[in-house]
């Protein structure tokens, strides 16, 4: 809901606010740029390892999918992205900004778990589990050239690790990439699930607490060179345009339209 409100411009100008988040990188989004989700009329999130044209060439999506999965089947995929937008980096290099958004403290805390594999998982699921582990390990090894403390892993902080790994893979394919961890502040209703995200300082402290063991704080807010392609990790906040619906309302609307 908060992301859709944002792209619809309800929280203020979407392009202007996203560009403000990207100032440090020198990248910018034009009003004519492409992004997903488009809004309430088209709320589908981006899956970069599926058909994501024109945000991403089909051959790049295929490369991502082959890198991530050993056995392709309809229910398997890489991460769902809360927002993906085309951006222009310095020297007229076209790239992407990937946004992972959270609206309460518990959502970030959940990122600390390992990737789960059910006890009754199929042979194909086991093969994909192993392939994903190797893909994240490959990203980790490459990123350690920038800081030997990096320890992203399938078996530790998996949700965070897979997003960093995907961002790295895009950069390794020559696509400049900025990964933004976005905290929506001030949603008192959804905050009852754990606690509200209060402000930018609180959000940065939460990120440090949850991810510093696998991705040192010093690696945020600086350019990471992947060969000659920039990769950025940024922590940003945005006030929620409105509180989430109460639980009873959310339950009543399940299976219906986005609320």
């Amino acid at each position: 809901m908060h992301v859709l409100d944002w792209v619809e411009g309800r929280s203020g100008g979407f392009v202007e606010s996203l560009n403000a988040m990207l100032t440090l990188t020198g990248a910018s989004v034009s009003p004519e740029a492409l992004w997903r989700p488009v809004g309430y009329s088209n709320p589908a999130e981006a899956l970069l390892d599926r058909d994501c044209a024109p945000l991403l060439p089909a051959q790049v999506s295929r490369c991502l999918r082959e890198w991530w999965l050993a056995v392709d089947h309809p229910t398997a995929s890489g991460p769902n992205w809360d927002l993906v937008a085309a951006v222009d980096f310095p020297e007229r290099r076209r790239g992407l900004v990937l946004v992972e958004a959270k609206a309460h403290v518990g959502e970030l805390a959940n990122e600390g778990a390992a990737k789960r594999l059910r006890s009754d998982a199929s042979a194909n699921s086991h093969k994909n589990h192993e392939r994903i582990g190797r893909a994240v390990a490959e990203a980790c090894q490459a990123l350690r050239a920038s800081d030997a403390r990096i320890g992203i892993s399938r078996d530790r902080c998996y949700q965070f690790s897979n997003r960093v790994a995907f961002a790295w893979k895009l950069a390794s394919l020559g696509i400049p990439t900025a990964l933004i961890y976005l905290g929506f502040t001030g949603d008192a209703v959804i905050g009852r699930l754990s606690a509200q995200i209060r402000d930018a300082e609180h959000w940065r402290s939460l990120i440090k607490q949850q991810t510093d063991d696998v991705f040192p704080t010093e690696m945020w807010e600086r350019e990471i060179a992947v060969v000659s392609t920039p990769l950025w990790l940024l922590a940003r906040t945005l006030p929620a345009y409105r509180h989430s619906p109460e639980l009873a309302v959310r339950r009543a609307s399940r299976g219906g339209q986005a609320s």
Side-chain angles (χ1 to χ4, degrees):
M1 183 188 77
H2 295 315
V3 170
L4 294 176
D5 282 346
W6 182 32
V7 299
E8 291 274 359
R10 300 182 184 186
S11 313
F14 167 65
V15 169
E16 293 81 3
S17 59
L18 182 53
N19 279 334
M21 295 179 191
L22 292 168
T23 299
L24 185 63
T25 71
S28 63
V29 182
S30 75
E32 295 77 30
L34 301 168
W35 55 76
R36 288 189 187 176
V38 175
Y40 281 101
S41 64
N42 185 1
E45 296 178 340
L47 287 165
L48 297 177
D49 62 316
R50 292 184 182 272
D51 181 11
C52 207
L55 273 172
L56 205 59
Q59 64 268 27
V60 175
S61 292
R62 285 195 298 271
C63 179
L64 289 171
R65 197 161 180 82
E66 291 169 1
W67 171 70
W68 195 249
L69 297 174
V71 182
D72 197 346
H73 59 86
T75 61
S77 69
N80 279 56
W81 294 98
D82 293 315
L83 176 74
V84 177
V87 298
D88 291 315
F89 278 78
E91 300 177 1
R92 298 185 178 182
R93 299 184 69 181
R94 177 58 56 90
L96 291 177
V97 56
L98 316 175
V99 177
E100 178 68 16
K102 309 294 182 186
H104 64 89
V105 171
E107 287 189 297
L108 188 63
N110 291 338
E111 302 238 334
K115 183 182 184 298
R116 291 181 294 178
L117 186 65
R118 291 171 43 169
S119 59
D120 61 346
S122 67
N124 285 345
S125 293
H126 278 276
K127 290 176 183 177
N128 282 338
H129 188 73
E130 292 304 312
R131 174 67 65 84
I132 288 167
R134 290 198 296 271
V136 178
E138 179 189 359
C140 181
Q141 185 62 36
L143 287 167
R144 280 179 175 164
S146 298
D147 192 308
R149 296 171 294 172
I150 291 175
I152 58 172
S153 170
R154 180 198 64 193
D155 303 320
R156 190 178 179 194
C157 291
Y158 172 66
Q159 285 201 19
F160 174 74
S161 294
N162 71 38
R163 281 148 176 80
V164 174
F166 253 74
W168 167 81
K169 185 62 174 179
L170 286 168
S172 77
L173 295 171
I175 300 170
T177 302
L179 171 57
I180 298 178
Y181 261 69
L182 177 62
F184 283 100
T185 62
D187 186 342
V189 173
I190 201 72
R192 293 178 199 148
L193 295 175
S194 56
Q196 289 185 58
I197 300 168
R198 297 191 301 270
D199 52 34
E201 183 177 356
H202 183 219
W203 181 234
R204 286 192 296 269
S205 71
L206 292 170
I207 288 174
K208 176 178 173 59
Q209 177 183 340
Q210 293 299 324
T211 69
D212 192 50
D213 286 347
V214 297
F215 202 87
T217 305
E218 294 83 1
M219 295 297 291
W220 292 78
E221 313 295 332
R222 54 169 278 196
E223 181 177 325
I224 303 168
V226 180
V227 189
S228 59
T229 301
L231 169 64
W232 293 80
L233 264 71
L234 308 170
R236 299 290 183 264
T237 55
L238 196 68
Y241 170 72
R242 53 180 166 155
H243 297 311
S244 296
E246 294 288 350
L247 179 59
V249 176
R250 297 202 301 273
R251 285 175 172 168
S253 64
R254 280 178 185 169
Q257 296 179 348
S259 60

